Amino acid sequence: MSATLRPKKWIAGIRLAVVYTLLLALALFMMGPFLWLLSVSLMPGKNVFSNPPAILPTFIDFDNYVKVWQFMNFPKYIYNTVVITALGVIFNVILAALTAYPLATFRFKGRNLVFTLLIATMVIPSSTAMIVHYLTIQWLHLTGSFLGVVLPSAVSVFNIFLMRQTFLGIPSDIRDSGKMDGASEFRIWLQLVLPLVKPAIAVISLLEMMAFWNNFLWPIVVLDDPQKYPLAAALTFLNGQFSYNFGWIAAGTMISVIPIITVFLFTQRYYMEGIAGAVKG
């Protein structure tokens, strides 16, 4: 190795070490609240806000998990959450794909105007529509039902945008081949196009699963029976009743986020592929 290349190699190595050090520090900073919550959930006793505050448990104790599981009807709340989340994901995937497909493939007058109006609604805060949503759900006689929780968020403009950008990347020859075989437009969409946009479907499924799983305000507004609450809404009651015992609250929160973390770890590859495909489209 020549003398001129050796300093460049050292400089590149030092630069790489600095970049990885900064990325590691940023990751630890972003994970700080989660790691502290995990630590608190393993702490015995009730007072975690001592002076100085405890950061690491003196020893690992799962007593908080056992007691909060015994106090709360977790299987019931998990079942409610799974039903609400499954309905929300199914509605969003189907409706977003059905809406985005004609906006991407059909040529009709006013197509760009319709898409622009849809995108413009993204600037409206979702909280401002809560009263309208509640009045609509009440008019449909869906208050107190899981369907009333899901319908206001059954389709998202962002999901439509994501699916449209993905559909734009599908070659038109695939659609033409389906037409030559006499397939209907719905069959082309279902059997030819949808299998090619699985990464985008995975992205929507993951994002909506996280949204519906962690949703707590709207279910409290719509559902009149606390036994129908999803897990996040049920944990708010635990927070109100046992605010002095933060270890129970931390343990319950950790139980609620474990499914989200597990799903994300298994689907992160599809997530990155879906985002890349949408940006490319």
Side-chain angles (χ1 to χ4, degrees):
M1 183 180 295
S2 62
T4 56
L5 294 177
R6 191 176 293 110
K8 293 182 178 180
K9 185 177 181 180
W10 276 99
I11 293 174
I14 294 173
R15 184 180 302 169
L16 189 64
V18 171
V19 170
Y20 275 99
T21 302
L22 292 176
L23 290 175
L24 180 61
L26 180 62
L28 292 175
F29 175 77
M30 299 298 293
M31 293 179 61
F34 174 80
L35 295 177
W36 179 78
L37 196 67
L38 176 63
S39 177
V40 169
S41 68
L42 298 173
M43 289 183 185
K46 301 178 179 179
N47 186 17
V48 298
F49 299 105
S50 58
N51 191 13
I55 299 178
L56 298 176
T58 55
F59 63 92
I60 296 178
D61 186 8
F62 292 95
D63 187 60
N64 290 327
Y65 290 88
V66 174
K67 289 183 177 179
V68 76
W69 187 275
Q70 293 174 348
F71 176 80
M72 292 183 64
N73 190 3
F74 265 94
K76 177 64 175 178
Y77 293 128
I78 291 176
Y79 170 78
N80 297 340
T81 310
V82 169
V83 172
I84 293 174
T85 303
L87 288 174
V89 171
I90 292 172
F91 272 118
N92 272 275
V93 170
I94 294 176
L95 294 180
L98 285 174
T99 307
Y101 180 71
L103 291 175
T105 58
F106 294 176
R107 298 292 184 268
F108 58 90
K109 189 175 181 180
R111 186 188 68 164
N112 293 332
L113 177 61
V114 172
F115 182 68
T116 302
L117 292 177
L118 284 174
I119 296 298
T121 60
M122 295 180 66
V123 302
I124 302 176
S126 59
S127 58
T128 59
M130 185 173 295
I131 296 177
V132 177
H133 289 163
Y134 181 78
L135 294 176
T136 304
I137 294 301
Q138 192 176 39
W139 179 72
L140 294 174
H141 303 287
L142 293 176
T143 53
S145 65
F146 292 154
L147 196 58
V149 178
V150 173
L151 276 185
S153 304
V155 64
S156 168
V157 177
F158 174 78
N159 294 339
I160 296 173
F161 169 78
L162 180 65
M163 290 300 298
R164 178 183 179 271
Q165 296 303 108
T166 308
F167 284 142
L168 288 175
I170 303 298
S172 59
D173 296 340
I174 295 177
R175 184 164 169 254
D176 295 337
S177 64
K179 287 185 176 181
M180 292 178 62
D181 292 336
S184 63
E185 201 68 54
F186 180 78
R187 187 178 179 184
I188 294 173
W189 170 80
L190 182 63
Q191 296 184 353
L192 297 181
V193 178
L194 278 188
L196 300 177
V197 294
K198 288 181 179 179
I201 294 176
V203 171
I204 293 176
S205 300
L206 179 61
L207 294 178
E208 295 304 324
M209 179 184 176
M210 294 173 60
F212 281 98
W213 192 275
N214 296 321
N215 190 14
F216 73 96
L217 180 58
W218 179 245
I220 293 176
V221 174
V222 176
L223 299 175
D224 49 7
D225 185 5
Q227 293 299 318
K228 295 182 179 180
Y229 283 175
L231 195 54
L235 287 174
T236 60
F237 276 88
L238 181 67
N239 191 4
Q241 295 178 11
F242 293 96
S243 57
Y244 65 91
N245 193 341
F246 196 76
W248 284 29
I249 300 172
T253 305
M254 290 303 302
I255 293 174
S256 68
V257 301
I258 287 175
I260 296 295
I261 297 175
T262 304
V263 171
F264 180 78
L265 290 177
F266 283 100
T267 60
Q268 59 179 334
R269 178 171 65 90
Y270 299 103
Y271 179 81
M272 299 305 298
E273 290 179 1
I275 293 296
V279 173
K280 186 185 298 184

